[in-house]
Amino acid sequence: NAGVMQNPRHLVRRRGQEARLRCSPMKGHSHVYWYRQLPEEGLKFMVYLQKENIIDESGMPKERFSAEFPKEGPSILRIQQVVRGDSAAYFCASSPPGSQGNQPQHFGDGTRLSIL
Amino acid sequence: LAKTTQPISMDSYEGQEVNITCSHNNIATNDYITWYQQFPSQGPRFIIQGYKTKVTNEVASLFIPADRKSSTLSLPRVSLSDTAVYYCLVGDHQAGTALIFGKGTTLSVSS
């Protein structure tokens, strides 16, 4: 049973380019979350999505960042006109449907974004 | 969301039992306590979750006193491969709830 899959694992972009990070949740999971981690820091929440809906984007910068989770295919985190400060590890997590508590999120191994 | 406090780092030797304590004084009634482990260049991995008393699985035990203001993750007989960062998180953890990560506890296991 495959876990959360993220690709690419490493992505290098020059300032001003676009970065696209992809995440396929675990089978049967309909909730996707994106987090960002800077070196020596804990993960910081960015956005929470369900299929075709952004539910909570309170942690995502208003400019240049967008996320989607289409009906078919992986979730995409898109960063336009990247800057050096966007260099970080970006993690995706998923959880199963339902509103009960006790629903641990399962994480992928991240995409390490480096901006030259 | 309840704030957590845990030691920045801990050192241990192979074969020892390691206990990492997390304080969460303002934990709410609906909150669960969840621990994650993270190795370098990997995503956090769920270890254990509990609400009260004691929870045990094949990896660790979680001890939660009656007042729930703290919790202790216990790793029996650690090995070098247990060297990692351990995060204590508190929240209702319902679907859609953002997880709040602190800086965690860096555990270093030596031979």
Side-chain angles (χ1 to χ4, degrees):
Chain A
N1 197 12
V4 177
M5 304 300 292
Q6 291 188 248
N7 67 82
R9 289 298 311 277
H10 301 274
L11 182 62
V12 179
R13 287 287 179 265
R14 296 189 180 280
R15 281 178 294 171
Q17 290 185 321
E18 178 180 285
R20 281 187 180 234
L21 289 62
R22 287 177 290 278
C23 168
S24 296
M26 286 181 69
K27 187 175 180 181
H29 286 193
S30 57
H31 302 270
V32 166
Y33 315 76
W34 286 92
Y35 294 81
R36 177 165 63 178
Q37 185 175 35
L38 296 173
E40 311 300 322
E41 298 286 333
L43 282 71
K44 301 284 190 247
F45 168 77
M46 298 180 73
V47 61
Y48 158 54
L49 311 98
Q50 295 180 22
K51 283 287 187 182
E52 300 185 277
N53 287 301
I54 297 175
I55 308 300
D56 179 0
E57 56 183 346
S58 59
M60 196 158 67
K62 298 284 189 287
E63 308 283 330
R64 302 187 298 107
F65 284 73
S66 62
E68 63 178 18
F69 188 17
K71 187 176 180 181
E72 301 291 338
S75 175
I76 306 286
L77 179 67
R78 182 182 176 204
I79 311 172
Q80 295 178 290
Q81 299 172 332
V82 296
V83 301
R84 289 245 169 90
D86 296 331
S87 295
Y90 292 83
F91 291 96
C92 171
S94 70
S95 65
S99 59
Q100 292 181 342
N102 199 21
Q103 299 275 13
Q105 294 177 19
H106 297 268
F107 286 81
D109 281 337
T111 293
R112 271 137 196 90
L113 176 64
S114 298
I115 308 302
L116 302 179
Chain B
L1 291 171
K3 177 177 165 54
T4 61
T5 302
Q6 53 184 122
I8 294 294
S9 63
M10 293 183 70
D11 297 312
S12 182
Y13 291 97
E14 285 187 291
Q16 291 187 331
E17 177 184 79
V18 171
N19 296 309
I20 306 175
T21 297
C22 178
S23 299
H24 28 79
N25 290 320
N26 58 341
I27 188 169
T29 303
N30 295 333
D31 286 348
Y32 288 83
I33 300 155
T34 307
W35 286 80
Y36 282 84
Q37 173 193 55
Q38 186 179 26
F39 298 113
S41 301
Q42 294 187 24
R45 184 173 73 100
F46 170 82
I47 302 176
I48 197 166
Q49 184 179 73
Y51 183 80
K52 62 181 179 181
T53 62
K54 178 184 174 182
V55 179
T56 297
N57 61 23
E58 63 278 5
V59 177
S61 295
L62 179 59
F63 298 92
I64 306 168
D67 66 5
R68 304 202 325 124
K69 293 184 183 300
S70 67
S71 58
T72 299
L73 174 73
S74 181
L75 305 172
R77 297 179 300 281
V78 294
S79 64
L80 295 175
S81 62
D82 292 316
T83 295
V85 179
Y86 292 82
Y87 296 98
C88 166
L89 285 76
V90 172
D92 62 20
H93 295 160
Q94 292 192 14
T97 302
L99 298 180
I100 308 294
F101 286 82
K103 292 191 176 182
T105 297
T106 298
L107 172 65
S108 299
V109 180
S110 304
S111 57

